[in-house]
Amino acid sequence: MGIKINPLNAIDFYKADHRRQYPVGTEYVYSNLTPRSSRLAPVLEGFDERVVFFGLQGFIKHFLIETWNEGFFNLPKAQVVAEYKRRMDASLGEGAVPTDHIEALHDLGYLPLRIKALPEGARVNIKVPVLTVVNTHPDFFWLTNYIETVMSADLWKACTTATIAYEYKRLLLDYARRTGGDEGFVALQGHDFSCRGMSGIYDATQSGVGHLTSFVGTDTVSAIDYAEQYYNATGVIGLSVPATEHSVMCMGTQDDELDTFRRLINDVYPTGIVSIVSDTWDFWQVVSEFAAVLKDDILNRQPNATGLAKVVFRPDSGDPVKIICGDPEAPAGSPAHKGAVECLWDIFGGTITDKGYKQLHERVGLIYGDSITLKRAQAILEGMTAKGFASTNMVFGIGSFTYQYNTRDSFGFAMKATWGQVNGEGRALFKDPITDNGTKKSAKGLLRIEATDNGYQLFDEQTAEQEQQGALEVVFENGKLIKDITLDDVRVRLSQ
């Protein structure tokens, strides 16, 4: 990604000196990352309490390997130690954090960590760890939880986005099956609109790949780059279409809006799909009067190499349910009363699915991407179903209102130590705050995860031999990626 960050400084300050806070003789620290609760998750009623595990391989390749090598191991020891000391001294006080352990790590030449994880793309029960981390060299016990900050920051969002994307896909598939829509269209029906509203381009990129685990529709170009570079993605990774914005329509002027539509449809994009924002001024005029005037132009457009030739009208304001499905309080018979989908049907017609629902003519469609959430998408789908229209008449632009209004607490992700070794003696670690409702109660000791008929199940307080068994597999050890997967692997696993 080209982000220059000092990996030693990708921490909370309080991590810097935990090394001296552990008991003298500490040799190993063993931690896990677990989604602990869905209480704050933006999911629909009936959520099955499973999150999608995704993002670890990208984190390993980008941060644990590339960033650590470029920003630490491949630099002169004197330089990295001096920079670390300057940072610590300036904020914590001179000499507050010794540097001998940093020097020793540089001398070692690799990150002495072992990460075991469930398969990416697995749907994992809440309260079941998705991965474990332990140091492989007793001198570097401090490193396990030193990387907690960056590991948590990088992984909770990718998992959260992938989970929410999966819930959109499940919702869209359900309505496609109910209304007889083309299930193959669902992969394009959820389109990532979130990039500009995320917390920086790197966040948008990682989150965008999470979206791509369930869909191929995206406007986040960098997510495709990330998928190729870190998830060996090939073939159809992400697809989009030419689309206008309000500046384009405004520049054409309101008086010549019809001519702007005509030029885009006939001259600029005579084949394929073009999406045109249609509410710059009077959306109802566009989907009734303008659409009728342009009917022959739209129907006469020729398919491109992919066999597509569709004009997609994009409303971008108002109550999405009323805009698409109609406003019962609007004057009877008016475009606003009918709603966009019925207006287009009246002009272009279409077909009837095998479930008896109307599917618009293949040359026209609708996309709505203003503040879409799972609940709003469900309401639109339910409204279209009630009007007798197939769910696949709509594409949803899933934006930052869905993917940015989340935190680490949306699914309660936390990385906690559950076992350690001091002077050769193993110690089971756990927390169970009396002031908590049970959410923060941790597992205890060494852990094993097994795949069962009811999903993944946690077994704690395991022996060292038992910890080697189960569904967790080594994916990173001593600075090297052990298991390399593809985005296709993830997509296939999520489709099972």
Side-chain angles (χ1 to χ4, degrees):
M1 295 299 296
I3 296 174
K4 300 302 181 185
I5 188 168
N6 185 336
L8 287 175
N9 295 342
I11 60 169
D12 298 299
F13 261 119
Y14 85 133
K15 292 289 186 184
D17 207 28
H18 285 172
R19 177 182 68 108
R20 294 193 299 169
Q21 296 174 18
Y22 283 112
V24 174
T26 299
E27 297 162 323
Y28 294 96
V29 176
Y30 174 93
S31 291
N32 71 91
L33 180 69
T34 301
R36 300 179 298 183
S37 170
S38 65
R39 182 177 63 87
L40 300 176
V43 292
L44 296 173
E45 186 175 349
F47 177 63
D48 66 358
E49 296 294 300
R50 297 184 185 187
V51 302
V52 175
F53 174 48
F54 177 73
L56 177 60
Q57 180 166 293
F59 168 73
I60 288 173
K61 287 184 175 182
H62 172 244
F63 190 81
L64 293 187
I65 297 176
E66 290 179 5
T67 303
W68 270 94
N69 285 340
E70 294 170 8
F72 183 71
F73 291 114
N74 293 348
L75 297 177
K77 181 170 70 171
Q79 176 185 334
V80 296
V81 172
E83 289 178 356
Y84 183 74
K85 178 174 173 54
R86 183 177 69 86
R87 178 63 64 240
M88 296 299 119
D89 285 357
S91 297
L92 296 177
E94 188 172 352
V97 180
T99 61
D100 56 306
H101 60 307
I102 303 299
E103 296 177 40
L105 181 59
H106 195 278
D107 290 339
L108 186 67
Y110 62 88
L111 283 180
L113 294 171
R114 179 184 302 115
I115 300 175
K116 295 174 64 178
L118 295 176
E120 292 198 45
R123 300 189 63 244
V124 184
N125 302 52
I126 295 289
K127 296 186 181 299
V128 173
V130 296
L131 62 83
T132 62
V133 187
V134 66
N135 56 295
T136 59
H137 189 301
D139 290 351
F140 301 96
F141 62 89
W142 56 272
L143 196 55
T144 298
N145 271 19
Y146 192 89
I147 68 163
E148 175 196 344
T149 302
V150 67
M151 178 170 271
S152 174
D154 262 22
L155 290 183
W156 77 258
K157 186 62 165 289
C159 292
T160 299
T161 295
T163 301
I164 295 171
Y166 181 86
E167 294 304 309
Y168 269 100
K169 182 175 74 171
R170 181 154 58 177
L171 175 70
L172 295 170
L173 278 171
D174 178 44
Y175 275 88
R177 289 163 181 162
R178 284 197 220 175
T179 62
D182 178 9
E183 292 184 30
F185 180 68
V186 169
L188 292 163
Q189 199 177 4
H191 194 96
D192 182 10
F193 270 18
S194 67
C195 188
R196 73 192 62 190
M198 307 303 282
S199 297
I201 194 64
Y202 184 61
D203 177 45
T205 300
Q206 285 187 306
S207 176
V209 185
H211 174 87
L212 290 175
T213 59
S214 283
F215 296 103
V216 297
T218 185
D219 258 33
T220 305
V221 179
S222 58
I224 301 174
D225 297 334
Y226 190 100
E228 286 183 337
Q229 186 170 354
Y230 298 119
Y231 280 91
N232 310 301
T234 58
V236 179
I237 304 170
L239 299 174
S240 191
V241 300
T244 71
E245 64 179 14
H246 287 293
S247 71
V248 171
M249 309 308 292
C250 290
M251 198 70 76
T253 76
Q254 185 172 2
D255 290 342
D256 289 330
E257 186 180 18
L258 178 58
D259 287 337
T260 299
F261 270 88
R262 183 178 284 113
R263 184 173 66 87
L264 291 168
I265 291 168
N266 293 333
D267 302 332
V268 183
Y269 303 107
T271 66
I273 300 177
V274 58
S275 173
I276 304 177
V277 64
S278 306
D279 72 328
T280 305
W281 295 289
D282 187 344
F283 175 73
W284 299 119
Q285 182 183 37
V286 169
V287 294
S288 56
E289 296 176 25
F290 289 4
V293 172
L294 296 167
K295 178 178 179 179
D296 289 342
D297 297 274
I298 292 173
L299 294 180
N300 289 332
R301 293 175 77 248
Q302 295 302 304
N304 62 6
T306 63
L308 299 173
K310 179 182 287 189
V311 174
V312 178
F313 295 90
R314 179 164 73 90
D316 194 40
S317 56
D319 182 325
V321 180
K322 292 179 180 178
I323 297 297
I324 300 300
C325 305
D327 182 356
E329 297 180 1
S334 68
H337 184 268
K338 293 179 179 180
V341 67
E342 187 174 340
C343 287
L344 293 180
W345 177 268
D346 287 347
I347 296 169
F348 295 95
T351 58
I352 305 297
T353 72
D354 58 4
K355 295 292 180 68
Y357 290 84
K358 298 174 183 176
Q359 181 70 47
L360 286 171
H361 193 287
E362 63 180 356
R363 292 290 185 266
V364 290
L366 288 160
I367 184 169
Y368 200 101
D370 182 40
S371 301
I372 290 297
T373 64
L374 277 164
K375 288 183 178 180
R376 282 181 175 169
Q378 184 181 47
I380 293 170
L381 294 168
E382 191 59 36
M384 286 201 303
T385 301
K387 285 178 70 73
F389 283 89
S391 64
T392 44
N393 285 296
M394 274 293 301
V395 171
F396 293 93
I398 306 172
S400 57
F401 200 71
T402 281
Y403 288 145
Q404 181 62 9
Y405 271 60
N406 299 295
T407 71
R408 181 171 71 99
D409 293 319
S410 296
F411 288 103
F413 274 99
M415 183 170 166
K416 299 297 177 185
T418 60
W419 181 87
Q421 182 173 303
V422 181
N423 293 322
E425 178 189 351
R427 297 183 179 182
L429 314 177
F430 73 102
K431 59 180 289 186
D432 187 10
I434 196 172
T435 50
D436 182 58
N437 62 5
T439 298
K440 293 188 174 183
K441 181 179 180 180
S442 71
K444 185 176 182 180
L446 296 172
L447 310 178
R448 176 170 56 94
I449 312 297
E450 293 287 355
T452 74
D453 291 341
N454 296 317
Y456 289 102
Q457 183 176 348
L458 166 65
F459 297 86
D460 62 359
E461 298 188 83
Q462 300 294 286
T463 65
E465 182 179 4
Q466 289 172 322
E467 193 271 341
Q468 297 297 309
Q469 303 167 4
L472 292 170
E473 295 185 358
V474 176
V475 295
F476 175 84
E477 188 165 32
N478 294 335
K480 297 183 184 301
L481 184 72
I482 303 301
K483 186 173 183 178
D484 203 5
I485 62 170
T486 71
L487 179 62
D488 278 346
D489 294 333
V490 176
R491 286 172 164 174
V492 168
R493 187 167 289 114
L494 268 178
S495 299
Q496 294 173 344

